[in-house]
Amino acid sequence: MIGQAFFDERRRELAPEDVASAPDAPAVFLVWAAEGAPYLARTALLRRRLTRLLRQDSRPSRLLNLIGVAQRIDYWLCGSRLESSLLFYSVARHHFPADYPKIAKLRMPVYVKLTLSNPFPRTHLTSRQGGGRGLYFGPFRTRASAEQFEAQSLDLFQVRRCQENLEPHVDHPGCVYGEMGKCLRPCQQVVNEAEYASEVRRLSDFLTSGGHSLLESISAARDHASQELQFEDAARQHKRYERVEQVLALRDELVGDAGHLSGVAVTPSATPGAVTLWFLIHGGWCDPLDFSLALDGTGGSMDHRLRDIASTLPSAISRPLQEVQEHIALLSAWFYSSWRDGEWLSFESIAALPYRKLVNAISRVSKVTSQTT
């Protein structure tokens, strides 16, 4: 997550008696007492919040008052809501290792999981990435949107929808999906494991390629039928193509192979004349980078400076699975929120970073920031 060097660089210290000099700006802060755990919070107006917490008031009140116990205040100014969320999570994780998920109110998003450890793989919804072989496709905005995508995606393939651990037998009763031709019926030994695995690979390729594998196959079949003057077959293939596009339209921009989720968030910065770049690589956040909008005096273009930054980023980051889940949860909470302040650009790898789109995103975010300041 955010490294100790970033914490130390951005941390500011304040004595309780100097609250009046605190900036009235968004911040994450810790109030330290002589004994016990510190008080952690975030606020949109630091000075006003601290004034309320450390007020000189002898009258009984239900409102929290730390005037008698506060020894020191640490605070980190935030330029965006994403920065506030990530800083709050990081500080909570550092100072409250046992309780930080509850303190940060982490809500894990929903994924469609293709379970590959089963002899006859199937899909199901989950909010946890666990052990065992499997493909996690997401994160989705809601469980309902994940259910809709799962159901309509399975209509394109003949992968089973039952949840039982299959013991194939010719006398197995089967299910309605088998009767409708929507399942290869491995339960009734209509196909063997290898034949069923081939259909599962088609589904896996469909998910990991963002649907391109199936679209290319249908497009090739449609073009071949058209060249052979089989226009009815070409029309059927075209309807299949449109159907796949409708299914893919159910995804949001974040939805993809969660194990390779990468992108960059462009947000306002607490540093004047700059925006902050938050790179997420394979589900793990990197340290934020303040990108100055002013010319650096070397004559380098914005595109050139971004390429220099990209050259310093790791191509992959190895993190514990639990940490990756938490990082994606923080991204999902910001991206799908009504209070998102900034823009998100997905990319497959650092080498495929869309520089022109990133330059345009930086320009738009800086323009909005200048209008609100």
Side-chain angles (χ1 to χ4, degrees):
M1 189 50 203
I2 299 177
Q4 188 63 43
F6 176 80
F7 276 125
D8 294 340
E9 178 185 348
R10 295 290 297 273
R11 182 182 65 84
R12 300 293 181 267
E13 190 174 314
L14 188 70
E17 59 270 19
D18 297 329
V19 166
S21 64
D24 224 8
V28 173
F29 66 92
L30 281 169
V31 180
W32 292 89
E35 296 181 358
Y39 174 78
L40 171 64
R42 52 182 167 176
T43 179
L45 296 170
L46 179 62
R47 184 170 65 243
R48 186 176 71 175
R49 180 69 176 276
L50 291 178
T51 300
R52 290 179 179 177
L53 283 173
L54 303 172
R55 62 192 179 280
Q56 297 285 352
D57 191 351
S58 59
R59 295 174 298 176
S61 174
R62 293 183 179 180
L63 298 178
L64 179 64
N65 193 335
L66 302 177
I67 187 61
V69 298
Q71 300 290 313
R72 187 184 89 235
I73 302 166
D74 292 342
Y75 68 89
W76 296 260
L77 295 179
C78 304
S80 67
R81 292 179 177 90
L82 177 61
E83 183 170 13
S84 176
S85 296
L86 294 176
L87 269 172
F88 188 84
Y89 161 79
S90 298
V91 175
R93 194 167 185 260
H94 181 74
H95 292 285
F96 307 93
D99 302 320
Y100 73 90
K102 182 178 179 181
I103 293 172
K105 298 180 180 178
L106 287 176
R107 182 183 178 186
M108 299 302 174
V110 179
Y111 304 90
V112 173
K113 179 183 179 181
L114 177 59
T115 305
L116 299 175
S117 56
N118 192 293
F120 298 97
R122 59 181 176 83
T123 64
H124 69 275
L125 302 187
T126 181
S127 58
R128 294 283 180 179
Q129 297 185 39
R133 294 174 55 236
L135 170 66
Y136 293 87
F137 195 73
F140 286 87
R141 182 185 298 269
T142 63
R143 189 174 188 86
S145 62
E147 288 175 346
Q148 185 180 22
F149 179 84
E150 179 192 29
Q152 296 196 28
S153 294
L154 291 178
D155 285 343
L156 304 174
F157 301 91
Q158 291 182 296
V159 175
R160 72 186 181 102
R161 308 186 193 210
C162 56
Q163 303 299 308
E164 63 179 296
N165 289 321
L166 290 186
E167 295 182 2
H169 193 275
V170 292
D171 295 328
H172 193 285
C175 69
V176 65
Y177 292 107
E179 298 298 327
M180 295 169 61
K182 294 185 176 182
C183 177
L184 291 178
R185 296 191 290 175
C187 57
Q188 297 175 319
Q189 295 184 328
V190 174
V191 296
N192 57 33
E193 286 190 30
E195 292 170 325
Y196 184 79
S198 177
E199 185 70 1
V200 171
R201 280 195 297 272
R202 291 183 62 240
L203 173 58
S204 178
D205 292 343
F206 170 78
L207 295 176
T208 55
S209 69
H212 293 300
S213 62
L214 186 56
L215 288 175
E216 290 174 359
S217 173
I218 295 174
S219 178
R222 180 187 60 189
D223 293 344
H224 177 74
S226 180
Q227 292 172 0
E228 296 294 324
L229 303 182
Q230 299 174 359
F231 298 118
E232 291 185 0
D233 187 33
R236 284 194 296 271
Q237 295 296 341
H238 184 69
K239 287 183 178 180
R240 285 186 64 206
Y241 192 95
E242 291 179 334
R243 175 58 181 153
V244 174
E245 288 185 319
Q246 291 172 2
V247 173
L248 294 175
L250 298 174
R251 305 170 303 163
D252 288 297
E253 186 180 351
L254 282 188
V255 175
D257 182 355
H260 295 85
L261 178 58
S262 300
V264 56
V266 183
T267 68
S269 173
T271 303
V275 297
T276 303
L277 303 179
W278 302 86
F279 283 91
L280 184 91
I281 300 177
H282 289 184
W285 289 107
C286 301
D287 281 352
L289 299 167
D290 277 341
F291 184 80
S292 176
L293 302 173
L295 296 177
D296 59 5
T298 63
S301 65
M302 188 179 294
D303 181 277
H304 181 75
R305 288 190 289 147
L306 289 172
R307 292 180 185 274
D308 287 341
I309 289 174
S311 66
T312 65
L313 296 172
S315 58
I317 300 178
S318 179
R319 297 183 186 273
L321 184 58
Q322 177 65 26
E323 191 172 328
V324 170
Q325 292 184 76
E326 293 168 356
H327 288 197
I328 295 179
L330 290 163
L331 169 64
S332 180
W334 171 77
F335 183 85
Y336 290 129
S337 69
S338 60
W339 40 262
R340 183 175 68 182
D341 52 349
E343 298 197 18
W344 170 261
L345 291 176
S346 297
F347 53 78
E348 293 183 0
S349 65
I350 293 296
L353 186 63
Y355 290 100
R356 179 173 296 181
K357 290 183 178 180
L358 183 54
V359 168
N360 292 336
I362 291 173
S363 299
R364 288 191 294 269
V365 171
S366 62
K367 183 177 180 181
V368 172
T369 302
S370 63
Q371 291 174 347
T372 56
T373 55

